[in-house]
Amino acid sequence: MTRHLKVDAPIPDSPLDHMAQGVLGKPVSRLEGPLKVTGRATYAAEARPEGLLYGVLVQAAIPAGKVLSIGDAPGAMVVIHDPRLIRYAAQGMATEGPTAGPDEVEYMGQAIAVVVAEALEAAQAAAQALQVTYEAKDVPVDPEAVEPERPEDKQSATGDLDRAMQDASHTLDQIWHTPSHTAAAMEPHAATAEWSGDTLTVRAGYQMLATSREQLADAVGIKPDQVRLLAPYVGGGFGSKLGINADSVAAAIAAQQLGRPVQVVMTRQQVFDLAHRRSETRQRIRLACDTQGKLTGIGHEALVSNLPGVSFSEPVTQATPFTYQAAHRQIVHAIARVHRSCAGSVRAPGEAVGATVFECAMDELAETAGIDPVELRLRNIPDTEPCTGRPFSSHKLAEALREGAARFNWSDRRPTGQRREGDWYIGMGVASAVRVNSLIESRARVTLQADGRAIVETDMTDIGTGSYTILGQIAAETLGLAVDRVEVRLGDSDFPPASGSGGSFGAASSGTSVYLACAEIRSQIAALIGCDEADLTLQNGQVRTGNVSRPLDALLTGELTGDGHLEPGKTEDTVRQATWGSHWAEIAVNRWTGEVRVRRMLGVFACGRVLNEKTARSQCLGGMTFGLGMALTEAMAHDPRDGHIVTRDLAEYHIPCHADVPPLEVHFLTESDTYVGPLHAKGLGELGICGAGAAILNAIHNACGVRVRELPATPDKIIAGLQS
Amino acid sequence: MQISLSVNGTSHELTLDPRTTLLDALRQHLGLTGTKKGCDHGQCGACTVLLDGRRVSACLTLACMVQDQPVTTIEGLGTPEALSPLQQQFLDHDGFQCGYCTPGQICSATAMLKEIAAGWPSHASADLTGPIALTHAEIAERMSGNLCRCAAYANIVDAIRQAAGAQGDAA
């Protein structure tokens, strides 16, 4: 039986608060952890079917034009440039394959062929030596040198912002630039494809199996039910594995053509070129406030880029309409069509760069107005969503700011440039954290075996997020079992389709479907013992109701199965759902070298119910560190002549390393959001990055008076600022 | 070419393309996929293994170069049923998320603690010749060759300090 829930109304009383097991929320170590720390968890490139062949992708060496000829590959079995090869990765949740046809080149580095050989070394050498001729054409690659599109539905205005700017006591009008970013998940994209008759099985590192299956079927030219995707372990995603990429399509086509299994693993450089980049942004922010710091005007104009015809555009201003109150508002969203690599989702599309820049602007306004930056934010928190008047499902920004200020000893912050230790200027910075929240349709099946052990099955993925563990905890809590009595099986498209991992919606969405499946089983247990589900207590394998208490396995005569089906409903529209928090950073700037060292960071977050204290904290640590990278080191440089990514490996694109990251503190506020389903849980995989970089950039200014508006704040920019 | 490798105490005779790296020999020919390929250029540390007890990037090491040296991989340090002390602390402290860099981190940390015990100083050491304190900065400096995009760094350092019996705060 399926228990279905469409979240049309708030659920004030969470049934999880009435369970007896007491395991939900606890810092349970990852269930799959022993496999990961011993190297036994197997990722996409670690299947070794009999007769495996190796495929290596060949990339275009022109920014745009046509492939005229592709030579032979001595030492390899075959060079495949099938018209079904895709030009760029699918966007997350697309239900069709992306544009195919590798003979038409849209950006430098596009996959145009795959070379297959018996040995990996032979395939690599042949791919490298392959002769390709092209007919190149001139195309724009600089987003600021073309006339951008301005889609009507992405612009909005209320009141008269120009007038508000003229009439204000204090104003700010500045432009920021953020460079292209990449997810840089540690596991390169890889696929191992094998055909059995007309059925295709692909082991690949993808975040969302149900839609990726549809994309792959469409790309290869078969039906979705002929495709099985397996992704039991995924070595990080951060958006880069939301949709299918060239690896799985090339492996599937090559395996089909050669009648043997084929594995295609991207090189790290190929991952840089072929995984979606986060678009660079140009952001103009205008703020106007009165003498008391009450905002009267907010303007946020964003210029982003993507390839012609690709629908995704970085939603930079996503949180701007509802974060702060102001009567006069303007949102501008412009999209430059240029031939850089395809842009798409990278951890927290929108707020990661949009909220970060906006929070830098708030810091500048606070300074101009002579108001403490925490106080300025507190004075501008809306009671209801500006423009729409909708209530917030829950709103914890003020509490996050006050709690953070106390925990971080914000009162120790000194005026700009007044704290020095030897050669180091010391500063503190703050930023608000905000991220939209949503649920995605999700299904799960739970089987309670006659021996009292439970099995959870769903095609949900665990990309490091902790899905195995939290889904096990939800099932254990609802069925009254110890966690080790629950087996969680994920990452197989044969299982019921879940939300997948992305957009911070995975835990709440798939978690709710698992809860619903377990609730269905609870009602079956209640029927067995003869009581209402509401009168049932399940704990440590015991079934209790009234004065009756029986061991679960004695009650069961066979296995019980429950299916759970969650759908988002009206609460998507009736309230504004978001997660909130605050970021705090203390940094040191070297007066001679301009080097910035982060000394400590604090993140205070409200994300509804915390499902596992340990894994939730880790998610936030990861997000904050992403923000640190964005603030200080991460930048994809595009060659101004042909748009190609110059910094296309981990020696050139600097993600934070151990020595960059100080001890970090995470604090969760107690929150119960009733509009997001029975779990009262919201997402937190992305909140940690939204604004974290701004706290660091604002701290740099507090330390030494330098405003860096062209991210990242590398020493050259700091030194230039110090000298002026 | 014929190559003999000693991995985790077991000898293997392999016929390999001479260009085969130690990393690919382990992963593709011996089925020891615990050692990960993150960049193949010595930039990320995911492929860290122990060569005669010292940490090396297996991607920058040709298999034919190490025929007379014992190789230890993550599979040789512990099993899910019998974790090494470092593996146990990584599990307890959540010193990983996706798990892909984890074998490299643990191999690296295993050798790194021996480097400290042997008195090798680092950039972060207060004194080039004196005893080395297991501070956060000291461990973070020495582990910086192992990237983690999930950024479990703070937890990894805690796990290593705990496994090494470090005292005091995390300064």
Side-chain angles (χ1 to χ4, degrees):
Chain A
M1 287 286 286
T2 297
R3 184 163 298 194
H4 171 259
L5 172 69
K6 191 165 187 185
V7 187
D8 284 328
I11 301 172
D13 189 20
S14 170
L16 275 308
D17 289 335
H18 302 286
M19 301 295 170
Q21 189 64 26
V23 70
L24 192 59
K26 294 291 185 295
V28 174
S29 293
R30 288 172 200 265
L31 302 187
E32 82 290 8
L35 297 177
K36 286 181 173 173
V37 299
T38 57
R40 267 73 169 183
T42 49
Y43 297 77
E46 295 167 3
R48 299 171 69 240
E50 190 67 29
L52 183 67
L53 299 171
Y54 295 92
V56 173
L57 295 171
V58 179
Q59 298 180 269
I62 56 167
K66 285 190 186 326
V67 175
L68 296 180
S69 71
I70 294 184
D72 295 329
M77 291 171 71
V78 65
V79 181
I80 296 171
H81 54 285
D82 189 288
R84 292 174 293 174
L85 287 174
I86 56 175
R87 293 187 198 157
Y88 37 76
Q91 299 290 338
M93 304 176 83
T95 52
E96 295 178 338
T99 303
D103 285 349
E104 190 79 34
V105 176
E106 296 200 49
Y107 60 97
M108 190 173 280
Q110 177 187 312
I112 54 172
V114 59
V115 173
V116 185
E118 295 274 359
L120 176 62
E121 294 74 23
Q124 286 169 335
Q128 222 158 25
L130 198 68
Q131 296 294 311
V132 182
T133 61
Y134 305 93
E135 181 183 290
K137 68 178 181 191
D138 284 337
V139 287
V141 296
D142 179 358
E144 302 213 33
V146 298
E147 184 58 34
E149 295 173 5
R150 289 189 176 80
E152 211 168 298
D153 62 346
K154 292 183 187 294
Q155 325 299 321
S156 67
T158 307
D160 185 344
L161 179 60
D162 290 337
R163 181 71 187 271
M165 291 291 284
Q166 284 169 22
D167 294 349
S169 301
H170 306 287
T171 61
L172 167 119
D173 184 354
Q174 289 288 356
I175 290 172
W176 281 259
H177 286 89
T178 64
S180 297
H181 293 133
T182 189
M186 293 310 297
E187 181 200 19
H189 295 52
T192 309
E194 191 171 10
W195 289 80
S196 172
D198 57 3
T199 311
L200 171 67
T201 300
V202 178
R203 196 178 171 96
Y206 289 139
Q207 298 177 226
M208 310 179 80
L209 298 196
T211 44
S212 290
R213 176 194 207 180
E214 293 186 59
Q215 296 155 16
L216 187 58
D218 184 47
V220 177
I222 54 178
K223 295 191 175 68
D225 62 10
Q226 292 172 269
V227 177
R228 185 179 183 197
L229 280 181
L230 297 171
Y233 302 101
V234 181
F238 316 111
S240 73
K241 297 171 182 171
L242 289 174
I244 61 163
N245 212 322
D247 53 341
S248 59
V249 179
I253 291 170
Q256 187 178 40
Q257 183 172 327
L258 298 167
R260 286 172 61 180
V262 175
Q263 184 172 90
V264 175
V265 183
M266 289 191 198
T267 64
R268 176 54 64 182
Q269 290 75 11
Q270 288 174 339
V271 175
F272 271 81
D273 294 335
L274 298 173
H276 289 153
R277 68 186 167 93
R278 186 202 305 284
S279 172
E280 73 293 312
T281 71
R282 175 188 186 276
Q283 300 182 49
R284 179 190 185 199
I285 294 190
R286 286 185 287 168
L287 297 174
C289 71
D290 65 16
T291 53
Q292 299 305 303
K294 292 283 270 184
L295 287 168
T296 52
I298 292 175
H300 196 166
E301 303 171 26
L303 172 68
V304 301
S305 74
N306 212 337
L307 288 165
V310 177
S311 62
F312 179 91
S313 65
E314 180 74 22
V316 175
T317 59
Q318 190 160 250
T320 309
F322 66 86
T323 306
Y324 298 112
Q325 184 69 272
H328 305 277
R329 321 173 65 93
Q330 187 179 18
I331 298 286
V332 174
H333 185 86
I335 309 161
R337 296 298 176 184
V338 294
H339 291 260
R340 294 181 168 186
S341 70
C342 191
S345 296
V346 176
R347 198 173 198 172
E351 288 91 323
V353 281
T356 294
V357 164
F358 199 92
E359 290 300 310
C360 288
M362 288 294 281
D363 197 69
E364 296 202 26
L365 184 70
E367 188 194 27
T368 304
I371 298 170
D372 181 89
V374 176
E375 185 57 32
L376 179 73
R377 288 169 171 86
L378 289 171
R379 289 179 191 179
N380 288 289
I381 295 174
D383 296 326
T384 58
E385 185 180 43
C387 302
T388 69
R390 289 188 296 181
F392 291 99
S393 66
S394 175
H395 200 301
K396 290 279 186 178
L397 178 55
E399 190 179 334
L401 288 165
R402 292 195 176 101
E403 180 72 24
R407 286 179 173 269
F408 204 66
N409 295 325
W410 180 252
S411 55
D412 290 350
R413 180 176 179 263
R414 304 262 286 274
T416 301
Q418 291 192 12
R419 187 172 161 201
R420 219 168 105 181
E421 293 177 10
D423 286 336
W424 297 86
Y425 300 110
I426 314 298
M428 289 163 73
V430 62
S432 300
V434 56
R435 175 67 175 161
V436 293
N437 186 71
S438 63
L439 290 168
I440 298 291
E441 185 174 9
S442 213
R443 294 173 188 265
R445 178 178 306 128
V446 176
T447 305
L448 183 61
Q449 300 179 140
D451 65 358
R453 301 179 73 90
I455 297 170
V456 176
E457 291 173 318
T458 165
D459 85 350
M460 183 60 187
T461 51
D462 189 328
I463 61 173
T465 39
S467 310
Y468 278 109
T469 315
I470 58 145
L471 297 182
Q473 286 174 276
I474 289 167
E477 187 67 51
T478 312
L479 295 174
L481 301 173
V483 175
D484 64 7
R485 303 280 287 173
V486 180
E487 180 188 343
V488 183
R489 299 175 181 167
L490 306 179
D492 183 339
S493 63
D494 278 359
F495 294 149
S499 60
S501 302
S504 295
F505 48 64
S509 303
S510 70
T512 302
S513 64
V514 169
Y515 161 72
L516 292 169
C518 293
E520 166 57 27
I521 291 176
R522 283 178 64 90
S523 68
Q524 295 173 28
I525 296 171
L528 284 176
I529 204 164
C531 73
D532 288 342
E533 187 192 331
D535 298 328
L536 190 69
T537 301
L538 300 177
Q539 188 179 20
N540 292 326
Q542 281 293 124
V543 184
R544 292 202 306 272
T545 183
N547 295 329
V548 181
S549 178
R550 293 184 59 187
L552 179 61
D553 54 4
L555 189 67
L556 296 172
T557 52
E559 67 178 32
L560 303 178
T561 302
D563 287 282
H565 180 200
L566 165 81
E567 283 187 277
K570 290 177 186 160
T571 63
E572 275 191 318
D573 300 319
T574 53
V575 290
R576 158 54 64 189
Q577 295 182 21
T579 50
W580 301 94
S582 59
H583 291 287
W584 310 80
E586 179 180 299
I587 60 91
V589 179
N590 188 284
R591 63 181 297 210
W592 303 113
T593 67
E595 180 188 7
V596 176
R597 302 295 303 167
V598 180
R599 308 209 319 181
R600 59 190 179 110
M601 285 177 85
L602 164 69
V604 178
F605 304 113
C607 52
R609 183 195 299 273
V610 172
L611 301 170
N612 179 320
E613 282 174 28
K614 189 184 285 193
T615 57
R617 176 174 172 271
S618 292
Q619 285 276 79
C620 296
L621 293 176
M624 290 159 69
T625 307
F626 248 79
L628 188 156
M630 187 193 298
L632 298 180
T633 56
E634 292 186 37
M636 261 188 178
H638 295 274
D639 189 311
R641 299 163 302 177
D642 54 30
H644 92 265
I645 299 161
V646 180
T647 52
R648 58 199 281 275
D649 65 26
L650 295 169
E652 299 287 344
Y653 184 94
H654 298 147
I655 68 171
C657 74
H658 270 285
D660 297 323
V661 184
L664 307 175
E665 187 187 347
V666 173
H667 177 73
F668 290 109
L669 297 178
T670 303
E671 183 188 34
S672 191
D673 192 324
T674 61
Y675 288 88
V676 295
L679 293 189
H680 290 182
K682 295 189 282 192
L684 83 169
E686 298 172 311
L687 184 62
I689 186 177
C690 301
I696 292 171
L697 293 163
N698 295 339
I700 291 172
H701 177 264
N702 179 243
C704 66
V706 176
R707 291 282 181 199
V708 177
R709 300 191 190 92
E710 183 123 0
L711 276 54
T714 44
D716 53 317
K717 295 170 196 168
I718 306 269
I719 289 173
L722 287 173
Q723 286 171 343
S724 64
Chain B
M1 62 187 288
Q2 289 296 121
I3 289 174
S4 57
L5 286 178
S6 167
V7 184
N8 301 330
T10 306
S11 296
H12 302 272
E13 299 298 324
L14 297 167
T15 305
L16 296 178
D17 185 305
R19 295 168 292 191
T20 307
T21 62
L22 175 59
L23 176 58
D24 288 329
L26 293 170
R27 285 172 63 82
Q28 308 297 356
H29 299 276
L30 294 176
L32 292 170
T33 54
T35 307
K36 305 302 183 193
K37 184 184 283 189
C39 72
D40 220 14
H41 281 54
Q43 299 166 350
C44 76
C47 67
T48 305
V49 297
L50 306 182
L51 196 57
D52 222 354
R54 287 174 61 172
R55 46 183 174 163
V56 297
S57 295
C59 73
L60 295 185
T61 307
L62 290 172
C64 61
M65 293 160 60
V66 297
Q67 299 191 70
D68 53 354
Q69 289 168 282
V71 178
T72 305
T73 69
I74 188 71
E75 290 93 342
L77 293 180
T79 64
E81 297 74 30
L83 302 176
S84 77
L86 266 168
Q87 288 169 329
Q88 184 65 52
Q89 292 303 330
F90 268 66
L91 181 61
D92 294 348
H93 287 267
D94 214 29
F96 60 95
Q97 293 191 45
C98 80
Y100 198 77
C101 75
T102 312
Q105 300 274 0
I106 292 173
C107 283
S108 190
T110 300
M112 182 273 292
L113 289 174
K114 288 184 182 149
E115 292 163 17
I116 290 179
W120 299 5
S122 82
H123 170 70
S125 306
D127 181 341
L128 290 184
T129 54
I132 297 161
L134 292 170
T135 61
H136 182 103
E138 183 69 56
I139 289 172
E141 169 67 21
R142 290 170 185 265
M143 290 298 294
S144 283
N146 291 85
L147 299 178
C148 172
R149 187 54 156 169
C150 299
Y153 294 130
N155 291 348
I156 292 171
V157 172
D158 287 348
I160 295 172
R161 295 181 83 237
Q162 183 88 32
Q167 305 292 316
D169 67 19

